Amino acid sequence: MKKHFDVGIIGGGIIGQSIAYHLAKEGVSVLVLESHKIGTGATSAAAGMLGANSELENNDAFFQFAKESQRSYHILRDELSELSNINIQLVDNGMYKLAMTETEAESLKAVVKKHETVEWHPKEVVLEREPTLSSLIKGALYIPEDGHVSPTHVCAAFSKSASLLGATILEHTPVHSITKTATNEYELSTPVTDFICNHVVVANGVWSGYFFKQLGINAGMKPVKGECLSVKSNEINLERTIFYDHCYIVPKGDGRFVIGATMVEDDWNIVPTIGGIQSLIDKIKPIMPSISSAQLIDTWAGLRPQSDDGRPYIGQHPEGEKIYFATGHYRNGILLAPRTGMMVRDLILNKQQNEDYMNAFSLTRKHAQTMR
Amino acid sequence: MKKHFDVGIIGGGIIGQSIAYHLAKEGVSVLVLESHKIGTGATSAAAGMLGANSELENNDAFFQFAKESQRSYHILRDELSELSNINIQLVDNGMYKLAMTETEAESLKAVVKKHETVEWHPKEVVLEREPTLSSLIKGALYIPEDGHVSPTHVCAAFSKSASLLGATILEHTPVHSITKTATNEYELSTPVTDFICNHVVVANGVWSGYFFKQLGINAGMKPVKGECLSVKSNEINLERTIFYDHCYIVPKGDGRFVIGATMVEDDWNIVPTIGGIQSLIDKIKPIMPSISSAQLIDTWAGLRPQSDDGRPYIGQHPEGEKIYFATGHYRNGILLAPRTGMMVRDLILNKQQNEDYMNAFSLTRKHAQTMR
Amino acid sequence: MKKHFDVGIIGGGIIGQSIAYHLAKEGVSVLVLESHKIGTGATSAAAGMLGANSELENNDAFFQFAKESQRSYHILRDELSELSNINIQLVDNGMYKLAMTETEAESLKAVVKKHETVEWHPKEVVLEREPTLSSLIKGALYIPEDGHVSPTHVCAAFSKSASLLGATILEHTPVHSITKTATNEYELSTPVTDFICNHVVVANGVWSGYFFKQLGINAGMKPVKGECLSVKSNEINLERTIFYDHCYIVPKGDGRFVIGATMVEDDWNIVPTIGGIQSLIDKIKPIMPSISSAQLIDTWAGLRPQSDDGRPYIGQHPEGEKIYFATGHYRNGILLAPRTGMMVRDLILNKQQNEDYMNAFSLTRKHAQTMR
Amino acid sequence: MKKHFDVGIIGGGIIGQSIAYHLAKEGVSVLVLESHKIGTGATSAAAGMLGANSELENNDAFFQFAKESQRSYHILRDELSELSNINIQLVDNGMYKLAMTETEAESLKAVVKKHETVEWHPKEVVLEREPTLSSLIKGALYIPEDGHVSPTHVCAAFSKSASLLGATILEHTPVHSITKTATNEYELSTPVTDFICNHVVVANGVWSGYFFKQLGINAGMKPVKGECLSVKSNEINLERTIFYDHCYIVPKGDGRFVIGATMVEDDWNIVPTIGGIQSLIDKIKPIMPSISSAQLIDTWAGLRPQSDDGRPYIGQHPEGEKIYFATGHYRNGILLAPRTGMMVRDLILNKQQNEDYMNAFSLTRKHAQTMR
């Protein structure tokens, strides 16, 4: 006999687990099917920056969505710790987006006018607060709201909490196909067994593209590999995350500094290469010379799922099937996980939705905006 | 445009890589698709015992096949080292199958009459040669031909050699479906892209069961999880592999001793449990008391693919499709990998085959024999 | 030319680093010499329980000292995070000391009368709050104040903070001898170079015994090896630390559970043995049966420095040399590190001291009390 | 009561273990005292190249000694495997010393005239045999005798064999001082206990310098830190070790390639730095461009013990004490370990010695030759 669930979620990364958690809290019977182990894909590869301001440039629906998600981490920290006794390692010290040239400085100063929460800090202020940085910097944009979490801790906390609230979470269980049954339910076919669900959520990152194709959805999805490394050094002390030219240095609460990330398009191989590591070191050295004497702790890589316009796909199947998508979060999966979980929960439970978000993340939207 | 290969192999474990190697040597254009990383499933979980005599009880086709496979490792060692510069760590010191009771001793002595290459060694002889063993043993069957290899080294050597001979090997590329094209070729559908092949080999261990179902083949396949651990100790010195009551201690050439393996039916979760480790320690302690002072180095687990009768499925699709199967090797995947690779190569290239083997491993055979 | 410091500290574990931090805060020029790497001895082996109430039985000076140290962790958390951006992972959920028999229950209930902060919780209350525990328990003593920290995080935070405040911390620098110079300073002799210090603190755990002998101090010091393991499981959820029969289960904020510890006297070899791991599993299983299905993550061991009466040695050289000792903390090194650091700081800076503490931890005290 | 041994060896690296093995074979009662774990210092940091020809330039006593040592590895492989069942991973495929400029080519061609066993291979020959190398090379010196071993396997095999022959090997036991007793024996003082020995061998690498000072020996000893990394790639296939400009790529029998090593003088800190790793990548890239796509597996560092002239100190205390030294092997510790073990054995057992070696390695020799 096949097992039956109300909602079957394909993908046990931070997005899938956030959805599972938010649904389980409402008493929904949830199944999560993960092909490998929980949180070991793009989730574990991320540095955990909550860069709503630093990553997004326009004050649009996407930005609002990101800010809401960022804020909800403060509530989740306590909620998840209460339930699962796992600490998501939220750090709230803000971020410096550096200018290394006068042109960059001008461009960052212009941002201050648009966003009231950010400030321009001249070189002297930045160096006094972060003396580890190079004296060649020209100043920095200070973004007090852009903190960071530990992605694996968040994912584990969502997962354990969902599980304690009744969700079934199966690792090593890849889904090969979604097929509709005679009774208008969905069968999720796996090597282990088959599962019957009333609703299905596709949330397995770049591998979601396979189900787009299987379900006849015409939406782009490709991997952008990101390589990272972590270092340790008593000579480096950073209070805030540092961001420059798509690279970042995130000071972790265990004394490590996470440095990332390369962007290699259309590479499906999840190993960090010597070339990738070299390029990161070359980029970080001018902004923080003492990196040279730091100890290399670890290197890793992950595949960011990239849609055609760099924004996520969050929404229902265009033809009204009870199949939902939550993927394509690109560089912002950790940031957007909480709000994405809530949005999918509301879609499934037929609660009222923010129309702007539904349009912005629809699978059939026009991709007017160019890729970031 | 879709990529085209003569043979597409699903599964990059030791079986798939052996097939790839043997085909690439014949100049065939080969593709291997592995869902995770090469050799990280049951292959990496195995201790590498080449237990043709110790594991198999009847002098039948299966036993002959196993003996041929065992012997071919001697040639492969040199061949693969020459090509790939990887040393498969073949050790040829034989095995002791212990008797701890008089009944067990009688039963092992009976084996000597059936197999001319094995010998009965009384307690004193065994303890003189392996003084690390408990003085409570009653003697042991000595099997000179049952040595061991390093499964990950074998798999890496097959893979690198195949690759150098022209094979294409893709990791992180799960195959979701095999479909026949209008031109009578096969399309292998993956999240990365689709591939067109003239022949397909299903060789992904216990996960092959999914394709049995998809292709309408009525043959059993279920996982039997095996948990292992490795230890180090200057107080333990073993020259030969020790085998007792389905458990073994394999002395590795780097000073470690690999101890395995539990047998947990129908458990798909690939993590070693506290309970499994405890049961192994409890089993090994009476036969080698000094295990208590050894250092635990590592623990791991893997899923053995078990057919209905415990013998592998090696053969063509029953209805003549150019789809081949090489799976269900249960406890004997490392032992049988070389000969399996040759047999599948011969099937695809239409070379003459041993009829007994074809019958013994056919997917539609009668499962007269009970499970071991 | 030899390098000169005001205070030279031998030992870079949590005790030495706490002393370094507390002195550096006062502007003292400090040198820490660690023979291996910072915090990799007994510090890294500890589970981090702050068990003032659970470990100590008498309401005496030792107990008061422990309570003060325990409380100061709340201030240190913020202070160290501010300076070093390292989070010491303080968790404050209290501890359950279990009773498995009626006799044990009676004995724990008696404790409630002596300590007003602890409570007796009957079986039903305990199981409602910690449903993972065995239903065979008879109840538990609830100790709200006994939380836990991450010892390596505390040690790294002390070390980085001290370093940022000007301390010099050298790893891989074993001290071979302390000799007095003609000018009444002390020369610390190492393979790297020699250092001259006005004051010396011996704080290298069980290895301090060597300097006792070299300096003619007649005080006992021997190792009590402790082996630990950590596990993960979605089926285990504990909010509080569990303590029973000298063993504990500490729920860590990353989802792991640390289980410890064996007590092996006079064993200097820092490797966890198969026998030790087996004994821990055997002890934990009756109080938490679901441990059997948990995944083993790691195993390790450390040497607790044990004095003749199980209490630390904190004090000055009996003959007035400017040599100080801070060692012998046995099972309580993490708990006592903050207050020990303050006490040694006060001794060196000639600040007023608590007489009871000076007597209780003096190197020449009478060891009236028997070992715990 | 103190324990008594005929020979006490300070240092459990490959040098100390070779001495222990060669003495234990003669029935001598041997004690090895290692401050950390066996073979974890410079031994484990080495790539294991047996570069008698590639590293040494003059056909002198040092070179002869090195060649004898290199050859004895062939006998040791079998001897140690027989005893300990550990395989030292001897690979005998020779080495290419590259020329990247015409000047370098001329200089290497000149070597051919001096050493009859080496050959000059023009660019085409080299690229045919090692197609992974850059097409910018100008040719290479082929040195058929310079193979490699696995240093940790050699050290473990020496250690286990010595132990099985009766030697006592204690880890985590640092020696703080060597003092002469009233009965003309030597007391080795450690935190664990003291040991009495008739003879003492100082063989603890760069840390031997401390005993030089303690024993009044005027001989230089300083660390030259070497950083290494290992990579994996199916695109790289090397049969021979590659050597260029003090850096090397050693193809290991498990598919890894070890790349080393930096040379950082007077740095006692045993961690690989980002700067060191970067410099290795920068050096290897021009000679093997495909390194960029390889996966980084691991990084590490070790301290080579460097004497004043780069040659080892092997000999007796200059004033006739029964104290012997075997240290200062600099870049050649693995290569020289076998012959060093034999030489120290012969010194202690008063067997006849090669006079040239005694002069070349004497602690009181004139350092006429400049450092390499």
Side-chain angles (χ1 to χ4, degrees), chain D residues 15-36:
Chain D
I15 301 292
Q17 298 288 1
S18 170
I19 297 168
Y21 170 70
H22 284 99
L23 285 167
K25 253 179 85 178
E26 303 296 314
V28 177
S29 109
V30 177
L31 167 71
V32 178
L33 297 171
E34 161 60 39
S35 62
H36 299 197

PDB file of all heavy atoms in Angstrom, chain D residues 15-36:
ATOM      1  N   ILE D  15      62.806   8.956  11.288  1.00  0.00           N
ATOM      2  CA  ILE D  15      64.210   8.722  11.657  1.00  0.00           C
ATOM      3  C   ILE D  15      64.272   7.889  12.943  1.00  0.00           C
ATOM      4  O   ILE D  15      64.939   6.852  12.994  1.00  0.00           O
ATOM      5  CB  ILE D  15      64.964  10.061  11.836  1.00  0.00           C
ATOM      6  CG1 ILE D  15      64.933  10.892  10.543  1.00  0.00           C
ATOM      7  CG2 ILE D  15      66.398   9.820  12.325  1.00  0.00           C
ATOM      8  CD1 ILE D  15      65.720  10.328   9.396  1.00  0.00           C
ATOM      9  N   GLY D  16      63.565   8.332  13.959  1.00  0.00           N
ATOM     10  CA  GLY D  16      63.579   7.601  15.227  1.00  0.00           C
ATOM     11  C   GLY D  16      63.055   6.180  15.079  1.00  0.00           C
ATOM     12  O   GLY D  16      63.586   5.235  15.664  1.00  0.00           O
ATOM     13  N   GLN D  17      62.014   6.020  14.268  1.00  0.00           N
ATOM     14  CA  GLN D  17      61.427   4.688  14.103  1.00  0.00           C
ATOM     15  C   GLN D  17      62.342   3.780  13.292  1.00  0.00           C
ATOM     16  O   GLN D  17      62.377   2.564  13.511  1.00  0.00           O
ATOM     17  CB  GLN D  17      60.055   4.785  13.437  1.00  0.00           C
ATOM     18  CG  GLN D  17      59.032   5.571  14.226  1.00  0.00           C
ATOM     19  CD  GLN D  17      58.533   4.859  15.474  1.00  0.00           C
ATOM     20  OE1 GLN D  17      58.960   3.752  15.792  1.00  0.00           O
ATOM     21  NE2 GLN D  17      57.659   5.513  16.204  1.00  0.00           N
ATOM     22  N   SER D  18      63.077   4.340  12.342  1.00  0.00           N
ATOM     23  CA  SER D  18      64.027   3.520  11.592  1.00  0.00           C
ATOM     24  C   SER D  18      65.127   3.024  12.528  1.00  0.00           C
ATOM     25  O   SER D  18      65.535   1.857  12.479  1.00  0.00           O
ATOM     26  CB  SER D  18      64.628   4.334  10.444  1.00  0.00           C
ATOM     27  OG  SER D  18      65.698   3.644   9.850  1.00  0.00           O
ATOM     28  N   ILE D  19      65.603   3.905  13.388  1.00  0.00           N
ATOM     29  CA  ILE D  19      66.631   3.503  14.367  1.00  0.00           C
ATOM     30  C   ILE D  19      66.070   2.424  15.291  1.00  0.00           C
ATOM     31  O   ILE D  19      66.721   1.399  15.539  1.00  0.00           O
ATOM     32  CB  ILE D  19      67.096   4.739  15.173  1.00  0.00           C
ATOM     33  CG1 ILE D  19      67.756   5.757  14.239  1.00  0.00           C
ATOM     34  CG2 ILE D  19      68.058   4.325  16.289  1.00  0.00           C
ATOM     35  CD1 ILE D  19      67.986   7.138  14.869  1.00  0.00           C
ATOM     36  N   ALA D  20      64.859   2.639  15.785  1.00  0.00           N
ATOM     37  CA  ALA D  20      64.236   1.656  16.681  1.00  0.00           C
ATOM     38  C   ALA D  20      64.121   0.303  15.990  1.00  0.00           C
ATOM     39  O   ALA D  20      64.425  -0.747  16.574  1.00  0.00           O
ATOM     40  CB  ALA D  20      62.854   2.149  17.122  1.00  0.00           C
ATOM     41  N   TYR D  21      63.690   0.325  14.752  1.00  0.00           N
ATOM     42  CA  TYR D  21      63.529  -0.930  14.014  1.00  0.00           C
ATOM     43  C   TYR D  21      64.857  -1.656  13.845  1.00  0.00           C
ATOM     44  O   TYR D  21      64.970  -2.855  14.105  1.00  0.00           O
ATOM     45  CB  TYR D  21      62.897  -0.642  12.643  1.00  0.00           C
ATOM     46  CG  TYR D  21      62.923  -1.823  11.727  1.00  0.00           C
ATOM     47  CD1 TYR D  21      62.118  -2.926  11.987  1.00  0.00           C
ATOM     48  CD2 TYR D  21      63.766  -1.860  10.622  1.00  0.00           C
ATOM     49  CE1 TYR D  21      62.142  -4.032  11.149  1.00  0.00           C
ATOM     50  CE2 TYR D  21      63.797  -2.958   9.780  1.00  0.00           C
ATOM     51  CZ  TYR D  21      62.989  -4.045  10.052  1.00  0.00           C
ATOM     52  OH  TYR D  21      63.017  -5.145   9.224  1.00  0.00           O
ATOM     53  N   HIS D  22      65.876  -0.905  13.407  1.00  0.00           N
ATOM     54  CA  HIS D  22      67.156  -1.554  13.144  1.00  0.00           C
ATOM     55  C   HIS D  22      67.812  -2.072  14.418  1.00  0.00           C
ATOM     56  O   HIS D  22      68.503  -3.092  14.400  1.00  0.00           O
ATOM     57  CB  HIS D  22      68.074  -0.598  12.365  1.00  0.00           C
ATOM     58  CG  HIS D  22      67.696  -0.485  10.912  1.00  0.00           C
ATOM     59  ND1 HIS D  22      66.948   0.563  10.405  1.00  0.00           N
ATOM     60  CD2 HIS D  22      67.910  -1.330   9.860  1.00  0.00           C
ATOM     61  CE1 HIS D  22      66.749   0.376   9.107  1.00  0.00           C
ATOM     62  NE2 HIS D  22      67.318  -0.762   8.744  1.00  0.00           N
ATOM     63  N   LEU D  23      67.574  -1.402  15.530  1.00  0.00           N
ATOM     64  CA  LEU D  23      68.102  -1.893  16.805  1.00  0.00           C
ATOM     65  C   LEU D  23      67.285  -3.081  17.318  1.00  0.00           C
ATOM     66  O   LEU D  23      67.851  -4.070  17.809  1.00  0.00           O
ATOM     67  CB  LEU D  23      68.102  -0.774  17.856  1.00  0.00           C
ATOM     68  CG  LEU D  23      69.198   0.288  17.699  1.00  0.00           C
ATOM     69  CD1 LEU D  23      68.906   1.490  18.592  1.00  0.00           C
ATOM     70  CD2 LEU D  23      70.584  -0.296  18.042  1.00  0.00           C
ATOM     71  N   ALA D  24      65.974  -2.994  17.227  1.00  0.00           N
ATOM     72  CA  ALA D  24      65.120  -4.078  17.730  1.00  0.00           C
ATOM     73  C   ALA D  24      65.415  -5.383  16.979  1.00  0.00           C
ATOM     74  O   ALA D  24      65.375  -6.470  17.559  1.00  0.00           O
ATOM     75  CB  ALA D  24      63.645  -3.699  17.605  1.00  0.00           C
ATOM     76  N   LYS D  25      65.707  -5.246  15.699  1.00  0.00           N
ATOM     77  CA  LYS D  25      66.067  -6.438  14.897  1.00  0.00           C
ATOM     78  C   LYS D  25      67.287  -7.151  15.457  1.00  0.00           C
ATOM     79  O   LYS D  25      67.465  -8.363  15.285  1.00  0.00           O
ATOM     80  CB  LYS D  25      66.380  -6.011  13.460  1.00  0.00           C
ATOM     81  CG  LYS D  25      65.333  -6.373  12.445  1.00  0.00           C
ATOM     82  CD  LYS D  25      65.713  -5.906  11.060  1.00  0.00           C
ATOM     83  CE  LYS D  25      66.617  -6.889  10.323  1.00  0.00           C
ATOM     84  NZ  LYS D  25      66.909  -6.400   8.935  1.00  0.00           N
ATOM     85  N   GLU D  26      68.170  -6.384  16.100  1.00  0.00           N
ATOM     86  CA  GLU D  26      69.376  -6.975  16.699  1.00  0.00           C
ATOM     87  C   GLU D  26      69.133  -7.415  18.135  1.00  0.00           C
ATOM     88  O   GLU D  26      70.067  -7.770  18.849  1.00  0.00           O
ATOM     89  CB  GLU D  26      70.525  -5.953  16.666  1.00  0.00           C
ATOM     90  CG  GLU D  26      70.869  -5.425  15.297  1.00  0.00           C
ATOM     91  CD  GLU D  26      71.399  -6.541  14.381  1.00  0.00           C
ATOM     92  OE1 GLU D  26      72.248  -7.315  14.852  1.00  0.00           O
ATOM     93  OE2 GLU D  26      70.935  -6.629  13.221  1.00  0.00           O
ATOM     94  N   GLY D  27      67.885  -7.325  18.583  1.00  0.00           N
ATOM     95  CA  GLY D  27      67.583  -7.787  19.933  1.00  0.00           C
ATOM     96  C   GLY D  27      67.854  -6.777  21.030  1.00  0.00           C
ATOM     97  O   GLY D  27      67.766  -7.100  22.216  1.00  0.00           O
ATOM     98  N   VAL D  28      68.157  -5.551  20.658  1.00  0.00           N
ATOM     99  CA  VAL D  28      68.418  -4.509  21.655  1.00  0.00           C
ATOM    100  C   VAL D  28      67.097  -4.071  22.291  1.00  0.00           C
ATOM    101  O   VAL D  28      66.080  -3.980  21.612  1.00  0.00           O
ATOM    102  CB  VAL D  28      69.115  -3.300  20.981  1.00  0.00           C
ATOM    103  CG1 VAL D  28      69.326  -2.166  21.974  1.00  0.00           C
ATOM    104  CG2 VAL D  28      70.427  -3.737  20.351  1.00  0.00           C
ATOM    105  N   SER D  29      67.115  -3.776  23.592  1.00  0.00           N
ATOM    106  CA  SER D  29      65.896  -3.282  24.253  1.00  0.00           C
ATOM    107  C   SER D  29      65.774  -1.782  23.998  1.00  0.00           C
ATOM    108  O   SER D  29      66.638  -0.999  24.365  1.00  0.00           O
ATOM    109  CB  SER D  29      65.945  -3.606  25.753  1.00  0.00           C
ATOM    110  OG  SER D  29      66.132  -2.472  26.531  1.00  0.00           O
ATOM    111  N   VAL D  30      64.703  -1.405  23.312  1.00  0.00           N
ATOM    112  CA  VAL D  30      64.576  -0.046  22.782  1.00  0.00           C
ATOM    113  C   VAL D  30      63.323   0.635  23.320  1.00  0.00           C
ATOM    114  O   VAL D  30      62.275   0.001  23.454  1.00  0.00           O
ATOM    115  CB  VAL D  30      64.475  -0.072  21.236  1.00  0.00           C
ATOM    116  CG1 VAL D  30      64.273   1.328  20.683  1.00  0.00           C
ATOM    117  CG2 VAL D  30      65.703  -0.705  20.626  1.00  0.00           C
ATOM    118  N   LEU D  31      63.449   1.917  23.608  1.00  0.00           N
ATOM    119  CA  LEU D  31      62.320   2.756  24.014  1.00  0.00           C
ATOM    120  C   LEU D  31      62.252   3.956  23.067  1.00  0.00           C
ATOM    121  O   LEU D  31      63.267   4.611  22.839  1.00  0.00           O
ATOM    122  CB  LEU D  31      62.544   3.272  25.440  1.00  0.00           C
ATOM    123  CG  LEU D  31      61.629   4.395  25.931  1.00  0.00           C
ATOM    124  CD1 LEU D  31      60.212   3.873  26.171  1.00  0.00           C
ATOM    125  CD2 LEU D  31      62.189   5.012  27.208  1.00  0.00           C
ATOM    126  N   VAL D  32      61.071   4.224  22.519  1.00  0.00           N
ATOM    127  CA  VAL D  32      60.891   5.432  21.713  1.00  0.00           C
ATOM    128  C   VAL D  32      59.924   6.358  22.451  1.00  0.00           C
ATOM    129  O   VAL D  32      58.833   5.938  22.831  1.00  0.00           O
ATOM    130  CB  VAL D  32      60.313   5.114  20.311  1.00  0.00           C
ATOM    131  CG1 VAL D  32      60.104   6.396  19.518  1.00  0.00           C
ATOM    132  CG2 VAL D  32      61.233   4.172  19.547  1.00  0.00           C
ATOM    133  N   LEU D  33      60.326   7.602  22.644  1.00  0.00           N
ATOM    134  CA  LEU D  33      59.475   8.590  23.309  1.00  0.00           C
ATOM    135  C   LEU D  33      59.092   9.684  22.317  1.00  0.00           C
ATOM    136  O   LEU D  33      59.958  10.398  21.804  1.00  0.00           O
ATOM    137  CB  LEU D  33      60.216   9.190  24.511  1.00  0.00           C
ATOM    138  CG  LEU D  33      60.569   8.177  25.606  1.00  0.00           C
ATOM    139  CD1 LEU D  33      61.482   8.811  26.646  1.00  0.00           C
ATOM    140  CD2 LEU D  33      59.306   7.629  26.260  1.00  0.00           C
ATOM    141  N   GLU D  34      57.813   9.780  22.064  1.00  0.00           N
ATOM    142  CA  GLU D  34      57.317  10.751  21.084  1.00  0.00           C
ATOM    143  C   GLU D  34      56.408  11.752  21.801  1.00  0.00           C
ATOM    144  O   GLU D  34      55.506  11.339  22.531  1.00  0.00           O
ATOM    145  CB  GLU D  34      56.551  10.004  19.982  1.00  0.00           C
ATOM    146  CG  GLU D  34      55.612  10.830  19.137  1.00  0.00           C
ATOM    147  CD  GLU D  34      56.280  11.958  18.377  1.00  0.00           C
ATOM    148  OE1 GLU D  34      57.393  11.776  17.874  1.00  0.00           O
ATOM    149  OE2 GLU D  34      55.669  13.052  18.314  1.00  0.00           O
ATOM    150  N   SER D  35      56.610  13.024  21.588  1.00  0.00           N
ATOM    151  CA  SER D  35      55.842  14.014  22.352  1.00  0.00           C
ATOM    152  C   SER D  35      54.386  14.115  21.876  1.00  0.00           C
ATOM    153  O   SER D  35      53.510  14.438  22.657  1.00  0.00           O
ATOM    154  CB  SER D  35      56.514  15.379  22.296  1.00  0.00           C
ATOM    155  OG  SER D  35      56.563  15.845  20.984  1.00  0.00           O
ATOM    156  N   HIS D  36      54.132  13.859  20.603  1.00  0.00           N
ATOM    157  CA  HIS D  36      52.757  13.913  20.101  1.00  0.00           C
ATOM    158  C   HIS D  36      52.331  12.490  19.689  1.00  0.00           C
ATOM    159  O   HIS D  36      52.294  11.618  20.508  1.00  0.00           O
ATOM    160  CB  HIS D  36      52.645  14.873  18.916  1.00  0.00           C
ATOM    161  CG  HIS D  36      53.019  16.282  19.244  1.00  0.00           C
ATOM    162  ND1 HIS D  36      52.688  17.344  18.470  1.00  0.00           N
ATOM    163  CD2 HIS D  36      53.708  16.803  20.281  1.00  0.00           C
ATOM    164  CE1 HIS D  36      53.156  18.466  19.014  1.00  0.00           C
ATOM    165  NE2 HIS D  36      53.770  18.156  20.101  1.00  0.00           N
TER     166      HIS D  36
END
